[in-house]
Amino acid sequence: MGPPLGFLNKTWFSGVGSQAVGGIYSFDSVENAQHYCTHFFPAVSRQFGVAQTTRLFDATIVKDASLDMGSPHFGTRPIRKPGAFVYTEVQVNIPFDKAPWRDRNPVLKQQKGLISKLWLSGLHTNTLGGVDAFDTIENALAFAIDDFPKTTAKMNAAYYTRVFDANATEAASRGLNSPYYL
């Protein structure tokens, strides 16, 4: 089986302190990403006999906010390779054009060890989140455990967050053209 229709790249994720495996995929269109999530992933889940989770995000609407944060997903050359990734998603319904990213980005830029951020806006849900690249697992954990919950508390919102070891998946991510390792 060849690459899925419209596939651009994948960055593999390997959970810190968990057995979680996954990643973030980029596709050339929402339609191709939807097809992958509705056909490929369910078949793999059945084959392995496990439940799965997929989420779709609108890349076009987050471009400016992500470029401001040095996201390699939009062509910014990485300043260094990541040691960890933090995935975040806040259970809100805020269209991204109304999201306070212009206020949030300067605060995030002060976060110890943050290399870049890819903003995420849930397709059909308007959830807010991101994939944050950090220099070390320690700095990623400090953000995910100490800082991010304070932000979501101010929003009075539930959240989902995971920390991933970027070193463990570097070779696999490079093999799938991850923009973090160019």
Side-chain angles (χ1 to χ4, degrees):
M1 179 164 77
L5 187 62
F7 174 80
L8 300 174
N9 61 62
K10 177 182 180 179
T11 301
W12 278 95
F13 291 158
S14 175
V16 171
S18 72
Q19 298 299 316
V21 178
I24 185 159
Y25 297 71
S26 295
F27 287 87
D28 64 357
S29 70
V30 169
E31 294 78 19
N32 284 332
Q34 286 174 311
H35 184 267
Y36 197 66
C37 287
T38 59
H39 290 80
F40 175 78
F41 278 123
V44 170
S45 292
R46 277 190 299 280
Q47 182 181 13
F48 287 109
V50 297
Q52 54 106 14
T53 300
T54 58
R55 290 175 168 83
L56 290 169
F57 301 99
D58 183 347
T60 57
I61 199 165
V62 300
K63 183 176 181 178
D64 291 342
S66 297
L67 278 170
D68 186 53
M69 292 300 297
S71 174
H73 280 271
F74 294 99
T76 302
R77 185 158 179 80
I79 57 173
R80 63 183 172 267
K81 73 177 188 170
F85 295 106
V86 176
Y87 168 81
T88 60
E89 189 173 1
V90 183
Q91 192 177 19
V92 293
N93 183 339
I94 301 174
F96 201 77
D97 61 348
K98 306 266 190 271
W101 66 267
R102 286 179 181 84
D103 296 328
R104 186 78 180 127
N105 278 7
V107 174
L108 288 168
K109 289 176 182 178
Q110 300 304 310
Q111 188 66 44
K112 184 178 179 185
L114 183 68
I115 298 169
S116 67
K117 178 180 189 72
L118 168 64
W119 277 96
L120 301 174
S121 178
L123 186 68
H124 306 305
T125 64
N126 293 318
T127 57
L128 297 176
V131 173
D132 303 306
F134 280 87
D135 58 352
T136 66
I137 290 173
E138 293 75 25
N139 286 334
L141 285 168
F143 174 73
I145 295 171
D146 297 326
D147 296 327
F148 190 70
K150 293 174 188 172
T151 299
T152 59
K154 290 177 188 173
M155 298 172 74
N156 197 30
Y159 65 94
Y160 182 86
T161 187
R162 293 289 180 262
V163 177
F164 302 99
D165 182 348
N167 294 312
T169 57
E170 180 180 353
S173 294
R174 284 182 183 275
L176 291 175
N177 301 316
S178 169
Y180 292 97
Y181 301 99
L182 300 177

